Amino acid sequence: MAKSKSNVSFSLVHAHACGIDVGSKSNWVCVGRGKDRIREFGVFTEDHHTLAKWLQRHKVKTIAMESTGVYWKSLFLILQTYGFEVLLVHASHVKNVRGKKSDMSDCRWIWQLHRAGLLQGSFQPDEFTEELRTYNRQRKSLVEGAAQQISKMQKALVLMNLQLPIVLTDITGKSGLAIIQAILDGQRDGKQLAALADRRVKASKEEIAKALTGQWHEQQLFTLRQSWQLYHFYWERIRECDEQIETHLAKRSEQLHKHDLVYEPSKKNFHTKMHQSLM
């Protein structure tokens, strides 16, 4: 006996609901049953405004959309400016809701779930917090990039049997920076390089001189120089991020009249020490 096709029915919670399936090249929108209630829109800013006006004509009040990559952000913000209630729903939540999606487009399935009140929006920070998070994420990415360049410098040194990482706990500290700069400037004498180490370094000058006596390979010096330059480039960008964060926080404290909340970076901040040593 042939099995009958399952039909899913839901109770009505949001009468003026909309479901949006967000994509990189187009957005599919559903505001009800029937082909005329499902429409595809582009992803340009003009298309977002056209979409919003189309929703207004259909008297939509609340919208659910999937959090697909970063493609949802611009549409999300524009829809909010039109006064819609917008719920950002994680894709896994939509898929995990019990029911049979059969032959429904993604946007219609989102619409039906939202119409029944089965979807819950993710937390969305306010404009101030979102901007601060963007700066901090960028800073984190830059710090990771700088760390990669440190690893590459260490590798280039070790391949020339220059065991600087053994005698110095941090090759990007004051002593390490001075020694690497001297190497890139052409200094090859281990004793001369060791003399650049700060007196507070635990290793003796003799030990440092032995560690800096190696084989000078042109290709590794080339790699060392490029990694050195990239390392400093990253930290210049990090400094710019810090300045932007400080400005952003100061502006916020001014708006709230809470000047005691102004961020003051520590004088012992690592990248500040680095830049001072380069001056």
Side-chain angles (χ1 to χ4, degrees):
M1 182 182 293
K3 293 183 179 179
S4 59
K5 189 174 181 180
S6 299
N7 292 316
V8 182
S9 60
F10 298 101
S11 59
L12 177 62
V13 176
H14 300 300
H16 303 281
C18 166
I20 302 179
D21 179 26
V22 178
S24 60
K25 296 182 179 179
S26 67
N27 297 311
W28 282 93
V29 185
C30 176
V31 295
R33 304 185 188 280
K35 293 182 179 180
D36 63 324
R37 294 302 183 96
I38 297 179
R39 183 173 167 183
E40 182 183 19
F41 292 87
V43 295
F44 300 134
T45 302
E46 181 181 353
D47 300 321
H48 292 344
H49 286 287
T50 302
L51 187 160
K53 292 173 183 176
W54 186 74
L55 295 180
Q56 285 181 329
R57 289 197 297 272
H58 284 85
K59 300 180 180 180
V60 168
K61 294 181 179 179
T62 178
I63 301 167
M65 56 193 296
E66 281 188 310
S67 56
T68 306
V70 297
Y71 303 116
W72 60 269
K73 286 197 172 184
S74 59
L75 177 59
F76 182 92
L77 294 173
I78 287 176
L79 290 174
Q80 281 190 325
T81 63
Y82 277 80
F84 296 112
E85 177 193 46
V86 188
L87 276 68
L88 184 67
V89 184
H90 198 280
S92 62
H93 185 195
V94 176
K95 293 176 182 176
N96 289 336
V97 174
R98 290 182 177 273
K100 192 172 181 64
K101 184 179 171 182
S102 64
D103 301 328
M104 291 184 185
S105 64
D106 288 345
C107 64
R108 186 178 177 188
W109 180 243
I110 297 169
W111 165 76
Q112 187 161 350
L113 295 177
H114 184 40
R115 185 170 177 261
L118 295 177
L119 298 179
Q120 184 175 359
S122 304
F123 166 74
Q124 288 301 303
D126 58 26
E127 186 176 351
F128 166 79
T129 306
E130 177 63 24
E131 185 174 344
L132 183 61
R133 287 172 67 179
T134 300
Y135 294 142
N136 280 312
R137 285 169 179 165
Q138 174 67 3
R139 189 184 191 281
K140 180 183 177 183
S141 176
L142 292 170
V143 170
E144 291 172 350
Q148 289 178 347
Q149 299 311 315
I150 294 174
S151 297
K152 290 182 179 181
M153 284 191 284
Q154 289 176 331
K155 181 179 179 181
L157 290 167
V158 171
L159 288 174
M160 292 186 288
N161 204 31
L162 301 173
Q163 301 295 341
L164 188 61
I166 291 180
V167 293
L168 295 181
T169 56
D170 180 11
I171 67 168
T172 58
K174 181 178 179 181
S175 298
L177 290 170
I179 290 171
I180 295 174
Q181 181 66 71
I183 291 173
L184 296 175
D185 288 341
Q187 182 59 258
R188 300 292 180 264
D189 184 84
K191 291 182 179 179
Q192 294 292 327
L193 292 171
L196 298 172
D198 190 271
R199 59 183 178 80
R200 291 171 293 182
V201 174
K202 292 182 179 180
S204 67
K205 292 293 191 288
E206 290 75 18
E207 289 176 315
I208 298 174
K210 287 181 181 179
L212 292 171
T213 302
Q215 299 173 318
W216 305 97
H217 300 302
E218 191 62 34
Q219 69 273 25
Q220 299 306 332
L221 288 169
F222 175 81
T223 300
L224 179 64
R225 182 179 299 278
Q226 289 215 323
S227 296
W228 167 267
Q229 292 170 343
L230 286 170
Y231 172 76
H232 286 82
F233 175 83
Y234 275 115
W235 276 106
E236 281 297 323
R237 304 291 78 75
I238 291 168
R239 181 183 60 79
E240 292 173 357
C241 276
D242 287 343
E243 291 176 353
Q244 192 69 22
I245 291 171
E246 290 168 25
T247 300
H248 186 57
L249 292 174
K251 188 184 299 183
R252 182 66 167 180
S253 67
E254 184 72 27
Q255 292 172 346
L256 298 175
H257 303 291
K258 294 184 178 180
H259 302 283
D260 56 318
L261 297 180
V262 175
Y263 169 70
E264 294 183 5
S266 171
K267 294 181 180 179
K268 296 182 179 181
N269 188 281
F270 174 74
H271 79 274
T272 301
K273 292 195 301 178
M274 185 201 74
H275 284 290
Q276 289 175 344
S277 67
L278 295 175
M279 296 178 64

